[in-house]
Amino acid sequence: MKMTTEKKKGVSNFYEFHSFLDPGCPITPMGPFRDNIRYFLQECAEVEEYTVEGMPIWCTFLVHKSKGVLIPLYTIEENVKSSVRTFCDHCRCAGWSHHLVSKRKYHLIIPADSEWKNHLYDGVFDDQTHILHGLIHSNGFGHLISLNGIEGGSKYLCGREVMDLWDRICTSFQARKITVEDVSRKHMMDLRLLYGVAYGHTWFGRWGYKFSHGSFGIMEHHYEKAIEMLSSIELDQVIDDFRYISRSNVMKQVIACYRGLSNTPLITVRDLFRFILAVKSCNSVKEKPNVAAPLVRACSSRYLMRNAAPKKSVGKEKSVRYRKYSNVAASLDSRWPVRRLEFTADVIVEALREKREAIRFGSCGMSRQEARDAARLHIGDTGLIDYVLKSMNNVIIGGYVVRRAVNRATRVLEYTIQELQNSDQPEEEKLPEPFQDYAVNPGADAYTDVLCLYNNLLLSFAESDELSLAVRILLDSKQFLKEWPFSDDPNDSLLRFICCILPNSNGLEAVFTKGYPPGEVVEVPLHSTIGDLKIAVESALRDTYCIMDNLMITDIAGMEQLEDYEVLFGIVQSGSELWVRGFGLDLDSELKNEGGSDNWTVNCRCGARDDDGERMVSCDICEIWQHTRCCGIEDSEVVPPLFVCDACCTSLAPPRAQNSFEFGHYGTAAELVPCASHFGMDLIY
């Protein structure tokens, strides 16, 4: 979309991309997020004349002067009570299952370049090609879901520019905490490992994102120790250890080359990686004005694992390959057993087949809502149906191929089927090689040199248990978070508090079984009374959370003996955390916690006690969830149709009876091996 594109009706201003939402440009929001986002939409956005799944859309145009393009930034307000996405998978995997369900989610989206002239469409939240997709709940907690720079398909925007914009958005709107699930890759390298060794933080660390929690029970001190261990490896020791390995000359040449180029001594692996990345950055700036950023997938968006690849020439495009849904289901990070996923998929395919047979002319596809409604006639769990629908694209189920695509005429995402042809063969899933030998010319291409060191030094050279474990820890650490601390401006005329509702308020203990949710930011004028504060707290909580529509605040802890007409100033200090009591909460509602209403339990041998986004399996007896990897089930293996955990296996079959009853086929403890993240964890304390 070039600058000559006509301005949309009603839009009064364009905003410069690189300065948009700098302080005072064009607005200066001062309140909590729930108020700031509304102020932004009122002042800086124009409501569109159409909706997506019944949700209102606003658009803000950003001008990229050097590229001469007009970039649409869409804001979509999702009302949770009327949405099919009732709960937040991103919160669940971020460790926020205990958060109360917010009434609204705000999606901020910059579509792919090719979509800038088109309307948004149903299914836009599942599209992983967006240049930017962020989600922020009305309580200020949110998630960066996807970010795609030049290597992700954008012709105009590099990842750093988009990330700068996202950071300004969060800061200006006064977001409280934002998570990102970092599985970004570049040139076949996991950047959380490469950047962790080189800089001590991930690519997102430049914007203040820090370790939140790791998968497989990894804690922050494990992560920090792993980084310290890998980054402090001395290069002279590497050269000495490589002397008996076939890649010895290559490694020596690469290290010697960059030591010769550097003005300062390169002593450790961190020194070497950091210097090469700096050289690579300088060369990239000379060759390309915009340095490409990695592909990014956030928290629970499990379908964006795409590696950067060179563009294919026209006429040599590889045909679409299909996967058996049984293999897809086995690889998903799902709380539901594989057999339930497969049964649900079969139900959906049968509905698609019946519609195709009933309609001879016109579209025989089904929209997401139509497929969902058809499946609900046989399956009551709508969350399960939605989860399966998300994973059904280019998959083989029975004798049919299921495709998911946008209908060009209606702009609606549709599911279609066709009979399996001989040419529709399942794709062959190949495991990556642990390392490669390189015929390199050190210094000629920094990318090649970094990749050589990454594969040979980090992935395959870590021969000791400690170093191998350290690499595994960095690869298993995907959840990162940025927090904007609560602050109070002493120079204005407002009192600010974090207000939390006490768990003994009208039976809330049952809601807080997994932890206390965060409090809500409340502002009142300087000379407000205690009664005014109670009203403000009621208003804020009612506006934010689904179960608090009829909340009435009765007391504020520590102020029970004070009258409502007494002035707050001098009684409580601005910036304090306050605990309140009340009644009128809808405790019968299903919309209580973001983790959902299911009473599921995680208790894995690696130490995990909550869903971390990794693939899990539930014991068919005790229904406790554990990681498949920790249970000895490889990621490439299908989850067995019957799984019995170690504890239940022992209780059912005493050791003396195990000779006559074989459990090994079902992945029981008798045949398990310690998982990599758990074995030797004490080595990195």
Short mmCIF file of all heavy atoms in Angstrom, two decimals, residues 445-487:
data_model
loop_
_atom_site.label_atom_id
_atom_site.label_comp_id
_atom_site.label_asym_id
_atom_site.label_seq_id
_atom_site.Cartn_x
_atom_site.Cartn_y
_atom_site.Cartn_z
N ASP A 445 31.73 -15.19 5.20
CA ASP A 445 30.30 -15.08 5.48
C ASP A 445 30.09 -15.34 6.96
O ASP A 445 30.22 -16.47 7.44
CB ASP A 445 29.51 -16.09 4.63
CG ASP A 445 28.01 -15.98 4.86
OD1 ASP A 445 27.59 -15.07 5.60
OD2 ASP A 445 27.27 -16.81 4.30
N ALA A 446 29.77 -14.28 7.70
CA ALA A 446 29.62 -14.40 9.15
C ALA A 446 28.48 -15.36 9.52
O ALA A 446 28.57 -16.08 10.51
CB ALA A 446 29.38 -13.03 9.78
N TYR A 447 27.41 -15.36 8.71
CA TYR A 447 26.30 -16.26 9.00
C TYR A 447 26.76 -17.72 8.97
O TYR A 447 26.41 -18.52 9.83
CB TYR A 447 25.17 -16.07 7.98
CG TYR A 447 24.23 -14.93 8.30
CD1 TYR A 447 24.12 -13.83 7.46
CD2 TYR A 447 23.44 -14.97 9.46
CE1 TYR A 447 23.26 -12.79 7.76
CE2 TYR A 447 22.58 -13.93 9.76
CZ TYR A 447 22.49 -12.84 8.91
OH TYR A 447 21.64 -11.82 9.20
N THR A 448 27.53 -18.08 7.94
CA THR A 448 28.03 -19.45 7.82
C THR A 448 28.93 -19.80 8.99
O THR A 448 28.86 -20.91 9.54
CB THR A 448 28.79 -19.62 6.50
OG1 THR A 448 27.93 -19.30 5.41
CG2 THR A 448 29.30 -21.04 6.34
N ASP A 449 29.76 -18.86 9.40
CA ASP A 449 30.67 -19.12 10.52
C ASP A 449 29.91 -19.30 11.83
O ASP A 449 30.23 -20.17 12.63
CB ASP A 449 31.68 -17.97 10.64
CG ASP A 449 32.60 -17.88 9.44
OD1 ASP A 449 32.75 -18.90 8.73
OD2 ASP A 449 33.15 -16.80 9.18
N VAL A 450 28.89 -18.45 12.05
CA VAL A 450 28.09 -18.58 13.26
C VAL A 450 27.38 -19.93 13.28
O VAL A 450 27.32 -20.62 14.30
CB VAL A 450 27.06 -17.43 13.37
CG1 VAL A 450 26.08 -17.69 14.51
CG2 VAL A 450 27.77 -16.11 13.62
N LEU A 451 26.81 -20.31 12.13
CA LEU A 451 26.10 -21.59 12.05
C LEU A 451 27.05 -22.75 12.29
O LEU A 451 26.70 -23.74 12.95
CB LEU A 451 25.44 -21.72 10.68
CG LEU A 451 24.57 -22.96 10.45
CD1 LEU A 451 23.44 -23.01 11.48
CD2 LEU A 451 24.01 -22.97 9.04
N CYS A 452 28.26 -22.66 11.76
CA CYS A 452 29.27 -23.70 11.97
C CYS A 452 29.58 -23.85 13.46
O CYS A 452 29.59 -24.96 14.01
CB CYS A 452 30.53 -23.37 11.19
SG CYS A 452 31.93 -24.46 11.53
N LEU A 453 29.81 -22.73 14.14
CA LEU A 453 30.11 -22.77 15.57
C LEU A 453 28.91 -23.24 16.38
O LEU A 453 29.05 -24.00 17.34
CB LEU A 453 30.56 -21.39 16.04
CG LEU A 453 31.90 -20.89 15.51
CD1 LEU A 453 32.10 -19.42 15.84
CD2 LEU A 453 33.05 -21.72 16.08
N TYR A 454 27.72 -22.77 16.00
CA TYR A 454 26.50 -23.14 16.71
C TYR A 454 26.30 -24.66 16.69
O TYR A 454 26.07 -25.28 17.72
CB TYR A 454 25.30 -22.43 16.06
CG TYR A 454 23.96 -22.80 16.65
CD1 TYR A 454 23.43 -22.08 17.72
CD2 TYR A 454 23.20 -23.83 16.11
CE1 TYR A 454 22.20 -22.40 18.25
CE2 TYR A 454 21.97 -24.17 16.64
CZ TYR A 454 21.47 -23.45 17.70
OH TYR A 454 20.24 -23.78 18.23
N ASN A 455 26.41 -25.26 15.49
CA ASN A 455 26.16 -26.70 15.36
C ASN A 455 27.28 -27.54 15.98
O ASN A 455 27.01 -28.55 16.65
CB ASN A 455 26.00 -27.08 13.88
CG ASN A 455 24.64 -26.70 13.34
OD1 ASN A 455 23.64 -26.80 14.04
ND2 ASN A 455 24.59 -26.26 12.10
N ASN A 456 28.50 -27.15 15.75
CA ASN A 456 29.62 -27.99 16.17
C ASN A 456 30.08 -27.72 17.60
O ASN A 456 30.54 -28.64 18.28
CB ASN A 456 30.81 -27.78 15.22
CG ASN A 456 30.53 -28.32 13.84
OD1 ASN A 456 30.53 -29.52 13.62
ND2 ASN A 456 30.26 -27.43 12.90
N LEU A 457 29.94 -26.48 18.04
CA LEU A 457 30.43 -26.14 19.36
C LEU A 457 29.34 -26.27 20.43
O LEU A 457 29.56 -26.86 21.48
CB LEU A 457 30.98 -24.71 19.36
CG LEU A 457 31.60 -24.19 20.67
CD1 LEU A 457 32.69 -25.14 21.14
CD2 LEU A 457 32.16 -22.80 20.45
N LEU A 458 28.13 -25.75 20.13
CA LEU A 458 27.07 -25.78 21.13
C LEU A 458 26.26 -27.08 21.09
O LEU A 458 26.00 -27.69 22.12
CB LEU A 458 26.13 -24.59 20.94
CG LEU A 458 26.74 -23.20 21.17
CD1 LEU A 458 25.70 -22.11 20.99
CD2 LEU A 458 27.37 -23.11 22.57
N LEU A 459 25.83 -27.48 19.90
CA LEU A 459 24.93 -28.63 19.81
C LEU A 459 25.63 -29.97 19.93
O LEU A 459 25.08 -30.90 20.51
CB LEU A 459 24.14 -28.59 18.50
CG LEU A 459 23.15 -27.43 18.34
CD1 LEU A 459 22.28 -27.66 17.12
CD2 LEU A 459 22.28 -27.26 19.58
N SER A 460 26.82 -30.10 19.37
CA SER A 460 27.42 -31.43 19.33
C SER A 460 28.73 -31.56 20.09
O SER A 460 29.21 -32.67 20.31
CB SER A 460 27.66 -31.86 17.88
OG SER A 460 28.56 -30.97 17.24
N PHE A 461 29.32 -30.45 20.51
CA PHE A 461 30.60 -30.54 21.21
C PHE A 461 30.42 -30.72 22.71
O PHE A 461 31.32 -31.19 23.40
CB PHE A 461 31.44 -29.30 20.94
CG PHE A 461 32.75 -29.28 21.71
CD1 PHE A 461 33.70 -30.26 21.52
CD2 PHE A 461 32.99 -28.29 22.64
CE1 PHE A 461 34.89 -30.26 22.23
CE2 PHE A 461 34.18 -28.27 23.35
CZ PHE A 461 35.13 -29.25 23.14
N ALA A 462 29.22 -30.34 23.20
CA ALA A 462 28.99 -30.43 24.65
C ALA A 462 28.93 -31.89 25.08
O ALA A 462 27.87 -32.49 25.21
CB ALA A 462 27.70 -29.71 25.03
N GLU A 463 30.11 -32.49 25.24
CA GLU A 463 30.18 -33.92 25.50
C GLU A 463 29.98 -34.27 26.97
O GLU A 463 29.63 -35.39 27.30
CB GLU A 463 31.51 -34.47 25.01
CG GLU A 463 31.69 -34.32 23.50
CD GLU A 463 33.05 -34.79 23.02
OE1 GLU A 463 33.91 -35.00 23.89
OE2 GLU A 463 33.25 -34.93 21.81
N SER A 464 30.23 -33.34 27.86
CA SER A 464 30.04 -33.63 29.27
C SER A 464 28.57 -33.52 29.63
O SER A 464 27.79 -32.83 28.97
CB SER A 464 30.86 -32.66 30.13
OG SER A 464 30.31 -31.36 30.06
N ASP A 465 28.17 -34.18 30.71
CA ASP A 465 26.79 -34.12 31.16
C ASP A 465 26.39 -32.68 31.50
O ASP A 465 25.28 -32.24 31.20
CB ASP A 465 26.59 -35.01 32.39
CG ASP A 465 26.66 -36.49 32.03
OD1 ASP A 465 26.47 -36.81 30.85
OD2 ASP A 465 26.92 -37.30 32.94
N GLU A 466 27.31 -31.95 32.13
CA GLU A 466 26.99 -30.59 32.54
C GLU A 466 26.70 -29.69 31.35
O GLU A 466 25.71 -28.95 31.34
CB GLU A 466 28.14 -30.00 33.38
CG GLU A 466 28.35 -30.68 34.72
CD GLU A 466 29.35 -31.82 34.61
OE1 GLU A 466 29.59 -32.28 33.48
OE2 GLU A 466 29.88 -32.24 35.66
N LEU A 467 27.57 -29.73 30.32
CA LEU A 467 27.39 -28.85 29.18
C LEU A 467 26.18 -29.26 28.33
O LEU A 467 25.44 -28.42 27.84
CB LEU A 467 28.65 -28.84 28.33
CG LEU A 467 29.90 -28.25 29.00
CD1 LEU A 467 31.09 -28.29 28.05
CD2 LEU A 467 29.65 -26.83 29.47
N SER A 468 25.98 -30.55 28.16
CA SER A 468 24.81 -31.02 27.43
C SER A 468 23.53 -30.60 28.13
O SER A 468 22.56 -30.17 27.50
CB SER A 468 24.84 -32.55 27.30
OG SER A 468 25.95 -32.97 26.55
N LEU A 469 23.52 -30.70 29.44
CA LEU A 469 22.35 -30.29 30.22
C LEU A 469 22.14 -28.79 30.12
O LEU A 469 21.00 -28.32 30.01
CB LEU A 469 22.53 -30.70 31.67
CG LEU A 469 21.37 -30.36 32.63
CD1 LEU A 469 20.09 -31.00 32.16
CD2 LEU A 469 21.72 -30.81 34.04
N ALA A 470 23.22 -28.02 30.13
CA ALA A 470 23.10 -26.57 30.02
C ALA A 470 22.47 -26.16 28.69
O ALA A 470 21.61 -25.27 28.63
CB ALA A 470 24.48 -25.92 30.17
N VAL A 471 22.88 -26.81 27.59
CA VAL A 471 22.28 -26.53 26.28
C VAL A 471 20.80 -26.88 26.30
O VAL A 471 19.96 -26.12 25.82
CB VAL A 471 23.00 -27.33 25.17
CG1 VAL A 471 22.24 -27.24 23.86
CG2 VAL A 471 24.42 -26.81 24.99
N ARG A 472 20.47 -28.04 26.88
CA ARG A 472 19.07 -28.47 26.94
C ARG A 472 18.23 -27.49 27.74
O ARG A 472 17.07 -27.21 27.41
CB ARG A 472 19.01 -29.86 27.57
CG ARG A 472 17.66 -30.52 27.59
CD ARG A 472 17.25 -30.93 26.20
NE ARG A 472 16.37 -29.96 25.58
CZ ARG A 472 16.05 -29.94 24.30
NH1 ARG A 472 16.56 -30.84 23.47
NH2 ARG A 472 15.25 -29.03 23.81
N ILE A 473 18.80 -26.95 28.80
CA ILE A 473 18.06 -26.00 29.64
C ILE A 473 17.72 -24.74 28.86
O ILE A 473 16.60 -24.23 28.93
CB ILE A 473 18.88 -25.67 30.91
CG1 ILE A 473 18.84 -26.86 31.88
CG2 ILE A 473 18.35 -24.42 31.60
CD1 ILE A 473 19.74 -26.71 33.06
N LEU A 474 18.68 -24.21 28.10
CA LEU A 474 18.41 -23.00 27.33
C LEU A 474 17.36 -23.26 26.25
O LEU A 474 16.51 -22.41 25.98
CB LEU A 474 19.70 -22.47 26.69
CG LEU A 474 20.78 -21.97 27.66
CD1 LEU A 474 21.82 -21.15 26.89
CD2 LEU A 474 20.20 -21.14 28.78
N LEU A 475 17.41 -24.43 25.63
CA LEU A 475 16.42 -24.75 24.60
C LEU A 475 15.04 -24.99 25.21
O LEU A 475 14.02 -24.76 24.55
CB LEU A 475 16.86 -25.98 23.81
CG LEU A 475 18.10 -25.79 22.93
CD1 LEU A 475 18.50 -27.10 22.27
CD2 LEU A 475 17.85 -24.72 21.86
N ASP A 476 15.00 -25.44 26.46
CA ASP A 476 13.72 -25.68 27.13
C ASP A 476 13.19 -24.45 27.85
O ASP A 476 12.13 -24.52 28.47
CB ASP A 476 13.86 -26.83 28.13
CG ASP A 476 13.94 -28.20 27.45
OD1 ASP A 476 13.49 -28.30 26.29
OD2 ASP A 476 14.45 -29.14 28.07
N SER A 477 13.91 -23.36 27.80
CA SER A 477 13.46 -22.11 28.43
C SER A 477 12.89 -21.21 27.34
O SER A 477 13.62 -20.57 26.59
CB SER A 477 14.63 -21.42 29.14
OG SER A 477 15.16 -22.25 30.16
N LYS A 478 11.56 -21.15 27.27
CA LYS A 478 10.89 -20.44 26.19
C LYS A 478 10.02 -19.29 26.66
O LYS A 478 9.67 -18.43 25.87
CB LYS A 478 10.01 -21.43 25.40
CG LYS A 478 10.75 -22.64 24.85
CD LYS A 478 9.80 -23.65 24.27
CE LYS A 478 10.53 -24.93 23.87
NZ LYS A 478 9.58 -25.97 23.39
N GLN A 479 9.62 -19.30 27.91
CA GLN A 479 8.69 -18.29 28.40
C GLN A 479 9.45 -17.11 29.00
O GLN A 479 10.20 -17.27 29.97
CB GLN A 479 7.76 -18.90 29.46
CG GLN A 479 6.84 -19.99 28.94
CD GLN A 479 5.72 -19.44 28.07
OE1 GLN A 479 5.46 -18.24 28.04
NE2 GLN A 479 5.05 -20.33 27.34
N PHE A 480 9.24 -15.93 28.40
CA PHE A 480 9.91 -14.72 28.87
C PHE A 480 8.85 -13.63 29.10
O PHE A 480 7.76 -13.69 28.53
CB PHE A 480 10.96 -14.26 27.88
CG PHE A 480 12.09 -15.25 27.73
CD1 PHE A 480 12.00 -16.31 26.83
CD2 PHE A 480 13.22 -15.16 28.52
CE1 PHE A 480 13.01 -17.24 26.72
CE2 PHE A 480 14.24 -16.09 28.42
CZ PHE A 480 14.14 -17.13 27.52
N LEU A 481 9.20 -12.69 29.93
CA LEU A 481 8.19 -11.73 30.40
C LEU A 481 8.82 -10.36 30.61
O LEU A 481 9.97 -10.26 31.06
CB LEU A 481 7.58 -12.25 31.71
CG LEU A 481 6.56 -11.38 32.44
CD1 LEU A 481 5.49 -12.26 33.08
CD2 LEU A 481 7.25 -10.55 33.53
N LYS A 482 8.04 -9.33 30.30
CA LYS A 482 8.44 -7.97 30.65
C LYS A 482 7.38 -7.39 31.57
O LYS A 482 6.18 -7.52 31.32
CB LYS A 482 8.58 -7.09 29.41
CG LYS A 482 8.99 -5.65 29.76
CD LYS A 482 9.30 -4.81 28.54
CE LYS A 482 9.73 -3.40 28.94
NZ LYS A 482 10.10 -2.57 27.78
N GLU A 483 7.84 -6.76 32.62
CA GLU A 483 6.93 -6.17 33.60
C GLU A 483 7.15 -4.66 33.66
O GLU A 483 8.29 -4.18 33.69
CB GLU A 483 7.16 -6.78 34.98
CG GLU A 483 6.27 -6.20 36.06
CD GLU A 483 6.45 -6.87 37.40
OE1 GLU A 483 7.34 -7.74 37.52
OE2 GLU A 483 5.71 -6.53 38.34
N TRP A 484 6.06 -3.93 33.69
CA TRP A 484 6.09 -2.49 33.90
C TRP A 484 5.65 -2.26 35.35
O TRP A 484 4.46 -2.37 35.67
CB TRP A 484 5.13 -1.77 32.95
CG TRP A 484 5.63 -1.69 31.54
CD1 TRP A 484 6.22 -0.63 30.93
CD2 TRP A 484 5.57 -2.73 30.54
NE1 TRP A 484 6.54 -0.94 29.63
CE2 TRP A 484 6.15 -2.21 29.36
CE3 TRP A 484 5.09 -4.03 30.54
CZ2 TRP A 484 6.25 -2.97 28.19
CZ3 TRP A 484 5.20 -4.78 29.38
CH2 TRP A 484 5.77 -4.25 28.23
N PRO A 485 6.58 -1.96 36.25
CA PRO A 485 6.23 -1.86 37.67
C PRO A 485 5.19 -0.79 37.93
O PRO A 485 5.15 0.25 37.27
CB PRO A 485 7.57 -1.50 38.34
CG PRO A 485 8.62 -1.93 37.36
CD PRO A 485 8.01 -1.74 36.01
N PHE A 486 4.32 -1.07 38.89
CA PHE A 486 3.32 -0.09 39.31
C PHE A 486 4.02 1.09 39.95
O PHE A 486 4.89 0.94 40.81
CB PHE A 486 2.37 -0.75 40.32
CG PHE A 486 1.40 0.21 40.95
CD1 PHE A 486 0.44 0.85 40.19
CD2 PHE A 486 1.45 0.46 42.31
CE1 PHE A 486 -0.46 1.73 40.78
CE2 PHE A 486 0.56 1.33 42.91
CZ PHE A 486 -0.40 1.97 42.14
N SER A 487 3.66 2.28 39.51
CA SER A 487 4.32 3.48 40.03
C SER A 487 3.29 4.57 40.30
O SER A 487 2.20 4.59 39.69
CB SER A 487 5.37 4.00 39.05
OG SER A 487 4.77 4.34 37.81
#
